[in-house]
Amino acid sequence: MRQIIAALSMILSLLITPAWAGQFKEVGELEVHYNTLSTTFLTPEIAQQYDITRSGYRGLVNIAVLDTMQLGKPAVAAEITGQVKNLVGNSRELDFTEVREGDAIYYIATFAADDEETYRFHIDLNAEGNRNASFDYNYTFYVDAP
């Protein structure tokens, strides 16, 4: 049981505070943190809790929006939409789900992925207070096979 709690804590810290990876964009009054990884990095328990299929060929996008105008930069709710496109132009919509745990608010979406494929992500968001932002980033996906 202790190992499960430790693994859960590690995964949640990865999902809740992706800032450790240094992937964020400052857009106006917002700081948008984002992270992309293979769903195999999730424990089976976490994947089941969030109804996520674990596979070396599935990616997970995680986004958190912080308000830089408030003390401590608290998380804020946002409406998030996005698309993922491979290099040949095949595009898919990302279907984000909001997750709230304590003061943390983050948004997750999964996508089908191929090994060594570079994907271009376009994210649009509308945060509390009618604050809009858009940004793009690239991510090269590598299959995490056992």
Side-chain angles (χ1 to χ4, degrees):
M1 183 64 149
R2 209 161 99 187
Q3 290 176 331
I4 292 173
I5 291 171
L8 177 65
S9 296
M10 182 181 76
I11 295 297
L12 287 178
S13 67
L14 173 68
L15 291 175
I16 293 171
T17 56
W20 66 269
Q23 294 180 306
F24 69 92
K25 304 268 184 184
E26 291 182 6
V27 185
E29 301 172 350
L30 303 173
E31 188 174 283
V32 183
H33 291 256
Y34 60 95
N35 195 4
T36 306
L37 55 109
S38 170
T39 59
T40 58
F41 286 105
L42 302 174
T43 65
E45 296 81 13
I46 293 293
Q48 182 179 15
Q49 179 180 348
Y50 295 106
D51 195 28
I52 296 171
T53 301
R54 292 179 75 236
S55 168
Y57 294 92
R58 289 218 54 85
L60 174 80
V61 177
N62 174 47
I63 296 178
V65 182
L66 308 179
D67 187 344
T68 62
M69 298 305 287
Q70 294 186 44
L71 186 61
K73 294 194 275 188
V76 294
E79 182 180 316
I80 299 183
T81 58
Q83 300 83 35
V84 57
K85 185 184 294 187
N86 66 9
L87 293 178
V88 296
N90 296 328
S91 181
R92 292 170 285 222
E93 295 294 316
L94 294 168
D95 183 21
F96 285 94
T97 300
E98 181 181 88
V99 177
R100 289 182 182 243
E101 294 181 354
D103 292 335
I105 305 170
Y106 51 96
Y107 300 86
I108 56 176
T110 61
F111 64 97
D114 292 318
D115 193 26
E116 297 186 26
E117 179 76 66
T118 298
Y119 294 96
R120 180 162 183 80
F121 293 85
H122 176 78
I123 306 296
D124 292 308
L125 63 94
N126 183 356
E128 290 176 352
N130 201 28
R131 295 177 285 180
N132 298 308
S134 293
F135 67 95
D136 298 304
Y137 72 95
N138 294 336
Y139 179 80
T140 302
F141 191 88
Y142 297 97
V143 170
D144 182 43

